[in-house]
């Protein structure tokens, strides 16, 4: 569907050859130096095959960072980094713009490199490749994160097959969902050990399901407005059969088109004061079983984890609020899942650095073959 000459929805997918197994690399090049994380001895950008939101093969780009010094016996242990919200346009991809609006990522990942871990980082399918990224689609992001490990090892032989998923914000949801599916998606060639997620977007689907004319009736903080627009655009691209544009008015369809191309800072600036409820002509609830559909699309799994994982939450986080993440952590603990949950007196992005005194030894224990005892205390 086009609005003002702008096409809404996903671009045509690239036909996958028969050899397009998950993790197969189609292109590799040296990453520009100004995009290297601190502590990198080498960095590459690559394009690889993975699985998209439809379950079909899809292309993704990503980056590989190798720490300084000689690799240990067996190769560098690998962290598969899942990035936070940057935007849906191809020019927003971390492999293209580097730090962009997420400069704290650089210091954070530099710390991990200094600890002797290689870092591989998916841009996610559709961000820098054909189509539109399925924003917050946990299962497709999990495929991208797992297959990035396979792709990284294909271009860098010094990488071990032992790995851990880590992520922040959007990437925290991706990392924790990856924790649920990593063993299944990775297969016998990878040795998955666990995960870390800070600022996990929990139960966002329950709020999204209420969207419609007049809800919400007031302008949200800028970041939440941007997230809302990206959710609608990503959902529309991944599932055009829902015909989301038909539920929006002309203004809503125009903003949907902007969300598909504008990066986070640009969209946050242009959408200042926008009331999401004013964009709808009909409520999302007119879609049959929208609650169940959204839960499957973006809900963080509550059961089925086979390895320990860590969740960190900032008490001053206004992007991902404490009650929803606490509810997820308590539900996971009640279900007997191997979760460690801790809170920190900081904001959304600050939780990355604040959690390092806990996450560094947690991850080291995972690679050492230990099993951290689950805990939901702070």
């Amino acid at each position: 569907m086009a609005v003002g000459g702008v096409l809404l929805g996903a671009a045509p997918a690239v036909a996958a050859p028969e050899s397009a197994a998950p993790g197969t690399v189609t292109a590799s090049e040296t990453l520009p130096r100004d995009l290297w994380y601190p502590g990198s001895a080498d960095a590459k950008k690559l394009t690889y095959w993975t699985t998209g939101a439809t379950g079909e093969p899809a292309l993704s780009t990503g980056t590989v960072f190798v720490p300084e010094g000689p690799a240990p016996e067996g190769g560098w242990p690998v962290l598969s980094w899942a990035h936070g919200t940057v935007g849906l346009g191809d020019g927003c991809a971390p492999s293209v713009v580097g730090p962009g609006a997420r400069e704290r990522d650089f210091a954070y990942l530099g710390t991990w490199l200094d600890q002797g871990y290689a870092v591989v980082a998916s841009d996610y399918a559709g961000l820098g490749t054909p189509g539109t990224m399925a924003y917050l689609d946990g299962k497709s992001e999990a495929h991208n994160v797992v297959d990035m490990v396979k792709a990284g090892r294909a271009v860098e032989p010094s990488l071990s097959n032992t790995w851990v998923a880590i992520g922040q914000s959007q990437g925290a949801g991706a990392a924790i969902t990856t924790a649920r599916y990593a063993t299944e998606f990775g297969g016998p060639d990878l040795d998955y050990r666990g995960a870390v997620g800070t600022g996990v977007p929990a139960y966002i689907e329950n709020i999204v399901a209420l969207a419609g004319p007049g809800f919400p009736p007031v302008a949200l903080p800028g970041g939440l407005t941007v997230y809302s627009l990206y959710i609608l655009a990503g959902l529309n691209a991944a599932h055009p059969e829902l015909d989301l544009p038909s539920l929006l008015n002309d203004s809503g369809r125009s903003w949907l088109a902007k969300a598909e191309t504008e990066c986070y800072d640009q969209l946050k600036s242009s959408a200042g004061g926008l009331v999401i409820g004013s964009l709808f002509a009909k409520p999302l609830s007119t879609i049959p079983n929208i609650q169940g559909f959204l839960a499957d699309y973006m809900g963080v799994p509550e059961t089925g984890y086979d390895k320990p994982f860590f969740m960190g939450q900032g008490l001053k986080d206004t992007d991902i609020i404490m009650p929803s993440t606490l509810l997820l952590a308590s539900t996971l603990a009640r279900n007997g899942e191997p979760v460690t949950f801790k809170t920190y007196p900081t904001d959304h992005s600050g939780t990355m650095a604040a959690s390092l005194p806990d996450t560094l030894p947690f991850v080291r224990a995972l690679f050492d073959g230990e099993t951290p005892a689950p805990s939901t205390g702070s």
Side-chain angles (χ1 to χ4, degrees):
M1 179 176 185
V3 177
V6 178
L7 182 67
L8 294 182
V14 174
E18 292 184 5
S19 60
T24 301
V25 177
T26 65
S28 177
E29 60 184 304
T30 299
L31 190 70
R33 275 272 183 174
D34 59 337
L35 303 186
W36 290 26
Y37 293 130
S40 300
D42 188 24
K44 295 182 176 69
K45 176 181 178 178
L46 50 83
T47 304
Y48 67 101
W49 284 105
T50 182
T51 300
T54 63
E56 297 296 321
L59 285 171
S60 180
T61 48
T63 43
V64 180
F65 302 89
V66 179
E68 298 173 343
E73 184 178 356
W76 297 109
V78 178
L79 300 181
S80 192
W81 165 248
H83 69 77
T85 303
V86 294
L88 306 186
D90 287 346
C92 312
S95 67
V96 175
V97 300
R102 306 192 63 86
E103 293 184 13
R104 283 193 264 191
D105 291 2
F106 265 45
Y108 178 71
L109 291 168
T111 299
W112 291 105
L113 281 158
D114 286 342
Q115 294 292 312
Y117 301 110
V119 174
V120 299
S122 177
D123 287 333
Y124 309 136
L127 184 59
T129 47
T132 298
M133 178 178 68
Y135 184 68
L136 295 187
D137 180 357
K139 284 192 285 293
S140 68
E141 290 172 341
H143 277 292
N144 305 163
V145 170
V146 172
D147 295 337
M148 186 66 218
V149 181
K150 298 178 181 179
R153 297 187 68 234
V155 300
E156 182 47 68
S158 69
L159 269 56
S160 166
N161 72 335
T162 58
W163 70 285
V164 165
I166 61 172
Q168 158 70 10
S169 192
Q170 173 194 359
I176 301 306
T177 302
T178 297
R180 167 60 179 81
Y181 294 102
T183 300
E184 175 187 345
F185 291 172
D189 294 334
L190 296 182
D191 182 6
Y192 165 70
R193 298 296 180 90
V196 170
T198 53
V200 180
Y203 301 119
I204 306 299
E205 64 274 14
N206 294 339
I207 301 173
V208 174
L210 301 175
F215 184 85
V218 296
L220 301 170
L224 298 184
T225 300
V226 172
Y227 301 151
S228 300
L229 291 170
Y230 285 156
I231 288 170
L232 292 174
L235 185 62
N236 178 57
H239 295 282
E241 74 277 8
L242 298 180
D243 196 14
L244 287 181
S246 70
L247 305 182
L248 304 176
N249 53 35
D250 288 343
S251 177
R253 288 187 284 270
S254 176
W255 279 105
L256 195 67
K258 289 182 180 180
E260 290 183 348
T261 59
E262 293 188 5
C263 298
Y264 179 87
D265 284 346
Q266 181 184 6
L267 189 59
K268 184 176 179 180
S269 176
S270 63
L274 180 67
V275 177
I276 294 296
S278 70
L279 307 183
F280 284 85
K282 300 176 184 178
L284 279 183
S285 59
T286 59
I287 299 174
N289 191 33
I290 186 61
Q291 182 76 48
F293 184 90
L294 289 172
D296 180 70
Y297 175 77
M298 61 193 298
V300 178
E302 297 176 336
T303 60
Y305 298 84
D306 63 348
K307 298 292 173 65
F309 59 101
F310 184 102
M311 290 170 47
Q313 173 67 31
L315 295 172
K316 300 178 183 179
D317 191 336
T318 57
D319 289 51
I320 304 297
I321 58 174
M322 174 68 178
S324 62
T325 311
L326 179 59
L327 176 60
L328 175 60
S330 62
T331 300
L332 290 165
R334 186 172 63 250
N335 291 341
E337 300 301 325
V339 60
T340 295
F341 176 71
K342 293 193 175 184
T343 60
Y344 304 91
T346 186
D347 62 8
H348 186 54
S349 294
T351 309
M352 289 189 294
S355 65
L356 282 171
D358 295 313
T359 55
L360 287 173
F362 184 89
V363 169
R364 176 51 58 194
L366 296 178
F367 281 115
D368 287 345
E370 301 173 10
T371 304
S375 169
T376 54
S378 295

